[in-house]
PDB file of all heavy atoms in Angstrom:
ATOM      1  N   GLY A 254      63.550  52.949 -10.208  1.00 97.00           N
ATOM      2  CA  GLY A 254      62.156  52.514 -10.272  1.00 97.00           C
ATOM      3  C   GLY A 254      61.474  52.875 -11.570  1.00 97.00           C
ATOM      4  O   GLY A 254      60.389  52.316 -11.869  1.00 97.00           O
ATOM      5  N   VAL A 255      62.026  53.778 -12.336  1.00 97.00           N
ATOM      6  CA  VAL A 255      61.392  54.180 -13.611  1.00 97.00           C
ATOM      7  C   VAL A 255      61.665  53.157 -14.686  1.00 97.00           C
ATOM      8  O   VAL A 255      60.775  52.679 -15.365  1.00 97.00           O
ATOM      9  CB  VAL A 255      61.840  55.594 -14.018  1.00 97.00           C
ATOM     10  CG1 VAL A 255      61.272  55.958 -15.379  1.00 97.00           C
ATOM     11  CG2 VAL A 255      61.422  56.604 -12.980  1.00 97.00           C
ATOM     12  N   CYS A 256      62.940  52.773 -14.850  1.00 97.00           N
ATOM     13  CA  CYS A 256      63.271  51.848 -15.951  1.00 97.00           C
ATOM     14  C   CYS A 256      63.722  50.462 -15.502  1.00 97.00           C
ATOM     15  O   CYS A 256      63.886  49.607 -16.336  1.00 97.00           O
ATOM     16  CB  CYS A 256      64.337  52.491 -16.854  1.00 97.00           C
ATOM     17  SG  CYS A 256      65.996  52.601 -16.081  1.00 97.00           S
ATOM     18  N   GLY A 257      63.940  50.298 -14.201  1.00 96.00           N
ATOM     19  CA  GLY A 257      64.377  48.999 -13.709  1.00 96.00           C
ATOM     20  C   GLY A 257      65.882  48.736 -13.795  1.00 96.00           C
ATOM     21  O   GLY A 257      66.315  47.640 -13.494  1.00 96.00           O
ATOM     22  N   SER A 258      66.680  49.747 -14.168  1.00 97.00           N
ATOM     23  CA  SER A 258      68.109  49.568 -14.287  1.00 97.00           C
ATOM     24  C   SER A 258      68.740  49.485 -12.881  1.00 97.00           C
ATOM     25  O   SER A 258      68.261  50.090 -11.937  1.00 97.00           O
ATOM     26  CB  SER A 258      68.750  50.737 -15.010  1.00 97.00           C
ATOM     27  OG  SER A 258      68.392  50.749 -16.336  1.00 97.00           O
ATOM     28  N   LEU A 259      69.825  48.731 -12.777  1.00 98.00           N
ATOM     29  CA  LEU A 259      70.576  48.617 -11.559  1.00 98.00           C
ATOM     30  C   LEU A 259      71.827  49.494 -11.640  1.00 98.00           C
ATOM     31  O   LEU A 259      72.471  49.557 -12.687  1.00 98.00           O
ATOM     32  CB  LEU A 259      70.996  47.169 -11.326  1.00 98.00           C
ATOM     33  CG  LEU A 259      69.831  46.174 -11.153  1.00 98.00           C
ATOM     34  CD1 LEU A 259      70.393  44.741 -10.995  1.00 98.00           C
ATOM     35  CD2 LEU A 259      68.955  46.543  -9.991  1.00 98.00           C
ATOM     36  N   LEU A 260      72.149  50.130 -10.535  1.00 98.00           N
ATOM     37  CA  LEU A 260      73.323  50.980 -10.466  1.00 98.00           C
ATOM     38  C   LEU A 260      74.200  50.480  -9.317  1.00 98.00           C
ATOM     39  O   LEU A 260      73.693  50.030  -8.285  1.00 98.00           O
ATOM     40  CB  LEU A 260      72.957  52.432 -10.153  1.00 98.00           C
ATOM     41  CG  LEU A 260      72.306  53.288 -11.219  1.00 98.00           C
ATOM     42  CD1 LEU A 260      70.833  52.972 -11.344  1.00 98.00           C
ATOM     43  CD2 LEU A 260      72.487  54.737 -10.823  1.00 98.00           C
ATOM     44  N   SER A 261      75.495  50.611  -9.525  1.00 98.00           N
ATOM     45  CA  SER A 261      76.408  50.320  -8.397  1.00 98.00           C
ATOM     46  C   SER A 261      76.237  51.463  -7.372  1.00 98.00           C
ATOM     47  O   SER A 261      75.748  52.540  -7.696  1.00 98.00           O
ATOM     48  CB  SER A 261      77.863  50.237  -8.863  1.00 98.00           C
ATOM     49  OG  SER A 261      78.314  51.543  -9.204  1.00 98.00           O
ATOM     50  N   ILE A 262      76.666  51.188  -6.175  1.00 97.00           N
ATOM     51  CA  ILE A 262      76.578  52.198  -5.122  1.00 97.00           C
ATOM     52  C   ILE A 262      77.424  53.435  -5.536  1.00 97.00           C
ATOM     53  O   ILE A 262      76.971  54.558  -5.444  1.00 97.00           O
ATOM     54  CB  ILE A 262      77.072  51.638  -3.777  1.00 97.00           C
ATOM     55  CG1 ILE A 262      76.119  50.561  -3.317  1.00 97.00           C
ATOM     56  CG2 ILE A 262      77.193  52.758  -2.725  1.00 97.00           C
ATOM     57  CD1 ILE A 262      76.676  49.668  -2.199  1.00 97.00           C
ATOM     58  N   ASP A 263      78.625  53.190  -6.047  1.00 97.00           N
ATOM     59  CA  ASP A 263      79.474  54.285  -6.521  1.00 97.00           C
ATOM     60  C   ASP A 263      78.784  55.135  -7.588  1.00 97.00           C
ATOM     61  O   ASP A 263      78.755  56.349  -7.529  1.00 97.00           O
ATOM     62  CB  ASP A 263      80.798  53.783  -7.103  1.00 97.00           C
ATOM     63  CG  ASP A 263      81.895  53.638  -6.062  1.00 97.00           C
ATOM     64  OD1 ASP A 263      81.806  54.318  -5.029  1.00 97.00           O
ATOM     65  OD2 ASP A 263      82.810  52.858  -6.312  1.00 97.00           O
ATOM     66  N   ALA A 264      78.190  54.439  -8.580  1.00 97.00           N
ATOM     67  CA  ALA A 264      77.493  55.167  -9.672  1.00 97.00           C
ATOM     68  C   ALA A 264      76.356  55.998  -9.137  1.00 97.00           C
ATOM     69  O   ALA A 264      76.175  57.164  -9.535  1.00 97.00           O
ATOM     70  CB  ALA A 264      76.993  54.190 -10.725  1.00 97.00           C
ATOM     71  N   TYR A 265      75.606  55.474  -8.222  1.00 97.00           N
ATOM     72  CA  TYR A 265      74.473  56.199  -7.608  1.00 97.00           C
ATOM     73  C   TYR A 265      74.978  57.428  -6.846  1.00 97.00           C
ATOM     74  O   TYR A 265      74.414  58.518  -6.984  1.00 97.00           O
ATOM     75  CB  TYR A 265      73.666  55.281  -6.701  1.00 97.00           C
ATOM     76  CG  TYR A 265      72.658  56.032  -5.897  1.00 97.00           C
ATOM     77  CD1 TYR A 265      71.542  56.578  -6.473  1.00 97.00           C
ATOM     78  CD2 TYR A 265      72.840  56.187  -4.517  1.00 97.00           C
ATOM     79  CE1 TYR A 265      70.600  57.316  -5.726  1.00 97.00           C
ATOM     80  CE2 TYR A 265      71.887  56.901  -3.756  1.00 97.00           C
ATOM     81  CZ  TYR A 265      70.809  57.428  -4.345  1.00 97.00           C
ATOM     82  OH  TYR A 265      69.879  58.150  -3.618  1.00 97.00           O
ATOM     83  N   LEU A 266      76.033  57.257  -6.086  1.00 96.00           N
ATOM     84  CA  LEU A 266      76.538  58.358  -5.280  1.00 96.00           C
ATOM     85  C   LEU A 266      77.157  59.463  -6.093  1.00 96.00           C
ATOM     86  O   LEU A 266      77.266  60.599  -5.642  1.00 96.00           O
ATOM     87  CB  LEU A 266      77.555  57.854  -4.232  1.00 96.00           C
ATOM     88  CG  LEU A 266      76.950  56.922  -3.146  1.00 96.00           C
ATOM     89  CD1 LEU A 266      78.048  56.365  -2.290  1.00 96.00           C
ATOM     90  CD2 LEU A 266      75.902  57.642  -2.315  1.00 96.00           C
ATOM     91  N   GLU A 267      77.493  59.151  -7.342  1.00 96.00           N
ATOM     92  CA  GLU A 267      78.131  60.155  -8.218  1.00 96.00           C
ATOM     93  C   GLU A 267      77.159  60.839  -9.186  1.00 96.00           C
ATOM     94  O   GLU A 267      77.582  61.653 -10.002  1.00 96.00           O
ATOM     95  CB  GLU A 267      79.243  59.462  -9.034  1.00 96.00           C
ATOM     96  CG  GLU A 267      80.393  59.011  -8.183  1.00 96.00           C
ATOM     97  CD  GLU A 267      81.401  58.142  -8.931  1.00 96.00           C
ATOM     98  OE1 GLU A 267      81.263  57.950 -10.148  1.00 96.00           O
ATOM     99  OE2 GLU A 267      82.326  57.634  -8.273  1.00 96.00           O
ATOM    100  N   THR A 268      75.877  60.505  -9.098  1.00 96.00           N
ATOM    101  CA  THR A 268      74.939  61.057 -10.092  1.00 96.00           C
ATOM    102  C   THR A 268      73.697  61.573  -9.384  1.00 96.00           C
ATOM    103  O   THR A 268      73.462  61.291  -8.205  1.00 96.00           O
ATOM    104  CB  THR A 268      74.559  60.009 -11.149  1.00 96.00           C
ATOM    105  OG1 THR A 268      73.837  60.649 -12.200  1.00 96.00           O
ATOM    106  CG2 THR A 268      73.720  58.873 -10.586  1.00 96.00           C
ATOM    107  N   SER A 269      72.894  62.314 -10.120  1.00 96.00           N
ATOM    108  CA  SER A 269      71.605  62.777  -9.596  1.00 96.00           C
ATOM    109  C   SER A 269      70.464  62.268 -10.457  1.00 96.00           C
ATOM    110  O   SER A 269      69.312  62.628 -10.242  1.00 96.00           O
ATOM    111  CB  SER A 269      71.591  64.312  -9.540  1.00 96.00           C
ATOM    112  OG  SER A 269      71.789  64.825 -10.846  1.00 96.00           O
ATOM    113  N   GLU A 270      70.813  61.420 -11.455  1.00 97.00           N
ATOM    114  CA  GLU A 270      69.761  60.890 -12.326  1.00 97.00           C
ATOM    115  C   GLU A 270      70.202  59.514 -12.856  1.00 97.00           C
ATOM    116  O   GLU A 270      71.377  59.188 -12.834  1.00 97.00           O
ATOM    117  CB  GLU A 270      69.455  61.821 -13.499  1.00 97.00           C
ATOM    118  CG  GLU A 270      70.613  62.012 -14.432  1.00 97.00           C
ATOM    119  CD  GLU A 270      70.283  63.007 -15.531  1.00 97.00           C
ATOM    120  OE1 GLU A 270      69.609  64.007 -15.283  1.00 97.00           O
ATOM    121  OE2 GLU A 270      70.745  62.765 -16.692  1.00 97.00           O
ATOM    122  N   CYS A 271      69.248  58.761 -13.327  1.00 98.00           N
ATOM    123  CA  CYS A 271      69.526  57.427 -13.871  1.00 98.00           C
ATOM    124  C   CYS A 271      70.323  57.577 -15.137  1.00 98.00           C
ATOM    125  O   CYS A 271      69.932  58.281 -16.068  1.00 98.00           O
ATOM    126  CB  CYS A 271      68.217  56.687 -14.142  1.00 98.00           C
ATOM    127  SG  CYS A 271      68.479  55.058 -14.886  1.00 98.00           S
ATOM    128  N   PRO A 272      71.465  56.862 -15.249  1.00 97.00           N
ATOM    129  CA  PRO A 272      72.274  56.924 -16.465  1.00 97.00           C
ATOM    130  C   PRO A 272      71.579  56.247 -17.672  1.00 97.00           C
ATOM    131  O   PRO A 272      71.975  56.509 -18.819  1.00 97.00           O
ATOM    132  CB  PRO A 272      73.563  56.208 -16.091  1.00 97.00           C
ATOM    133  CG  PRO A 272      73.255  55.410 -14.906  1.00 97.00           C
ATOM    134  CD  PRO A 272      72.101  56.072 -14.203  1.00 97.00           C
ATOM    135  N   THR A 273      70.572  55.426 -17.422  1.00 97.00           N
ATOM    136  CA  THR A 273      69.896  54.743 -18.509  1.00 97.00           C
ATOM    137  C   THR A 273      68.694  55.540 -19.050  1.00 97.00           C
ATOM    138  O   THR A 273      68.578  55.729 -20.263  1.00 97.00           O
ATOM    139  CB  THR A 273      69.390  53.336 -18.037  1.00 97.00           C
ATOM    140  OG1 THR A 273      70.548  52.608 -17.561  1.00 97.00           O
ATOM    141  CG2 THR A 273      68.686  52.605 -19.146  1.00 97.00           C
ATOM    142  N   CYS A 274      67.832  56.015 -18.161  1.00 98.00           N
ATOM    143  CA  CYS A 274      66.586  56.677 -18.639  1.00 98.00           C
ATOM    144  C   CYS A 274      66.523  58.172 -18.283  1.00 98.00           C
ATOM    145  O   CYS A 274      65.560  58.846 -18.629  1.00 98.00           O
ATOM    146  CB  CYS A 274      65.366  55.968 -18.078  1.00 98.00           C
ATOM    147  SG  CYS A 274      65.103  56.226 -16.300  1.00 98.00           S
ATOM    148  N   SER A 275      67.507  58.705 -17.559  1.00 98.00           N
ATOM    149  CA  SER A 275      67.595  60.114 -17.162  1.00 98.00           C
ATOM    150  C   SER A 275      66.523  60.531 -16.147  1.00 98.00           C
ATOM    151  O   SER A 275      66.311  61.723 -15.940  1.00 98.00           O
ATOM    152  CB  SER A 275      67.514  61.025 -18.376  1.00 98.00           C
ATOM    153  OG  SER A 275      68.603  60.756 -19.269  1.00 98.00           O
ATOM    154  N   ALA A 276      65.873  59.570 -15.499  1.00 98.00           N
ATOM    155  CA  ALA A 276      64.928  59.922 -14.432  1.00 98.00           C
ATOM    156  C   ALA A 276      65.734  60.588 -13.301  1.00 98.00           C
ATOM    157  O   ALA A 276      66.805  60.116 -12.888  1.00 98.00           O
ATOM    158  CB  ALA A 276      64.240  58.677 -13.867  1.00 98.00           C
ATOM    159  N   VAL A 277      65.242  61.703 -12.811  1.00 97.00           N
ATOM    160  CA  VAL A 277      65.913  62.457 -11.754  1.00 97.00           C
ATOM    161  C   VAL A 277      65.622  61.816 -10.416  1.00 97.00           C
ATOM    162  O   VAL A 277      64.463  61.476 -10.126  1.00 97.00           O
ATOM    163  CB  VAL A 277      65.478  63.942 -11.789  1.00 97.00           C
ATOM    164  CG1 VAL A 277      66.148  64.714 -10.666  1.00 97.00           C
ATOM    165  CG2 VAL A 277      65.809  64.565 -13.139  1.00 97.00           C
ATOM    166  N   PHE A 278      66.662  61.643  -9.608  1.00 97.00           N
ATOM    167  CA  PHE A 278      66.494  61.080  -8.270  1.00 97.00           C
ATOM    168  C   PHE A 278      66.336  62.198  -7.260  1.00 97.00           C
ATOM    169  O   PHE A 278      66.898  63.295  -7.417  1.00 97.00           O
ATOM    170  CB  PHE A 278      67.718  60.229  -7.907  1.00 97.00           C
ATOM    171  CG  PHE A 278      68.001  59.089  -8.811  1.00 97.00           C
ATOM    172  CD1 PHE A 278      69.297  58.699  -9.091  1.00 97.00           C
ATOM    173  CD2 PHE A 278      66.956  58.338  -9.365  1.00 97.00           C
ATOM    174  CE1 PHE A 278      69.567  57.610  -9.917  1.00 97.00           C
ATOM    175  CE2 PHE A 278      67.199  57.266 -10.231  1.00 97.00           C
ATOM    176  CZ  PHE A 278      68.517  56.912 -10.489  1.00 97.00           C
ATOM    177  N   ASN A 279      65.607  61.933  -6.186  1.00 96.00           N
ATOM    178  CA  ASN A 279      65.366  62.906  -5.165  1.00 96.00           C
ATOM    179  C   ASN A 279      66.673  63.311  -4.492  1.00 96.00           C
ATOM    180  O   ASN A 279      67.359  62.496  -3.887  1.00 96.00           O
ATOM    181  CB  ASN A 279      64.403  62.302  -4.116  1.00 96.00           C
ATOM    182  CG  ASN A 279      63.955  63.307  -3.074  1.00 96.00           C
ATOM    183  OD1 ASN A 279      64.598  64.327  -2.870  1.00 96.00           O
ATOM    184  ND2 ASN A 279      62.846  63.017  -2.429  1.00 96.00           N
ATOM    185  N   PRO A 280      67.038  64.602  -4.575  1.00 95.00           N
ATOM    186  CA  PRO A 280      68.286  65.055  -3.954  1.00 95.00           C
ATOM    187  C   PRO A 280      68.260  64.933  -2.445  1.00 95.00           C
ATOM    188  O   PRO A 280      69.282  64.829  -1.793  1.00 95.00           O
ATOM    189  CB  PRO A 280      68.444  66.491  -4.414  1.00 95.00           C
ATOM    190  CG  PRO A 280      67.083  66.918  -4.843  1.00 95.00           C
ATOM    191  CD  PRO A 280      66.367  65.703  -5.272  1.00 95.00           C
ATOM    192  N   GLY A 281      67.075  64.929  -1.857  1.00 92.00           N
ATOM    193  CA  GLY A 281      66.928  64.769  -0.419  1.00 92.00           C
ATOM    194  C   GLY A 281      67.388  63.427   0.106  1.00 92.00           C
ATOM    195  O   GLY A 281      67.711  63.255   1.256  1.00 92.00           O
TER     196      GLY A 281
END
Side-chain angles (χ1 to χ4, degrees):
V255 175
C256 71
S258 293
L259 299 177
L260 288 78
S261 70
I262 296 164
D263 271 336
Y265 170 70
L266 293 174
E267 293 171 4
T268 191
S269 59
E270 64 183 38
C271 177
T273 303
C274 72
S275 300
V277 178
F278 300 144
N279 187 339

